[in-house]
Amino acid sequence: MALLQTAATPLAVAGTAALLALFLSLSAHLAARNVLGDVPIRNAFLIGPLPAAIAVAAGALDLPSLPAVAVAVVVDALLLRSVYALDRRLTAAVTAIHAVVSVILGSVLFSLYVLVQSAPG
């Protein structure tokens, strides 16, 4: 039986982690602005890397995705709470909005990617 997947190189894993960290940082900033108002973008760059590392490590180690997502969301909430000095209620709101923004923005970007890839010529 032939393998359809190739082994991931360290550069590919690092690139995936970096792009995911950037994506999660930007979506965290959008979520924080939505709930908290005007917040500096530099705070968001403290949020994205750790959940991205959890997601990439779970994928690379073939860990189950549901517990990995749960751990990443909890870590995201803890980071949001500490970076923005939020109470529990605001932490829950920003975390929920961050999850929603990430899913919607990710879906739109993936759909655009598929659309471009399926273009004739």
Side-chain angles (χ1 to χ4, degrees):
M1 183 165 110
L3 278 179
L4 297 177
Q5 239 178 348
T6 60
T9 64
L11 183 60
V13 172
T16 300
L19 283 175
L20 184 56
L22 179 63
F23 174 80
L24 290 175
S25 294
L26 292 176
S27 63
H29 179 66
L30 291 173
R33 279 190 64 114
N34 187 348
V35 177
L36 305 174
D38 194 22
V39 292
I41 193 167
R42 70 180 174 275
N43 290 354
F45 289 108
L46 300 172
I47 311 276
L50 196 51
I54 291 168
V56 171
L61 298 173
D62 286 330
L63 298 175
S65 33
L66 194 58
V69 168
V71 169
V73 169
V74 168
V75 167
D76 186 53
L78 293 172
L79 288 169
L80 285 166
R81 183 175 182 157
S82 66
V83 168
Y84 292 107
L86 304 175
D87 62 10
R88 287 183 187 187
R89 190 172 186 184
L90 276 176
T91 300
V94 176
T95 303
I97 297 296
H98 185 205
V100 169
V101 167
S102 296
V103 169
I104 292 172
L105 189 57
S107 297
V108 168
L109 291 175
F110 182 73
S111 297
L112 286 173
Y113 171 76
V114 169
L115 185 64
V116 168
Q117 291 298 315
S118 66

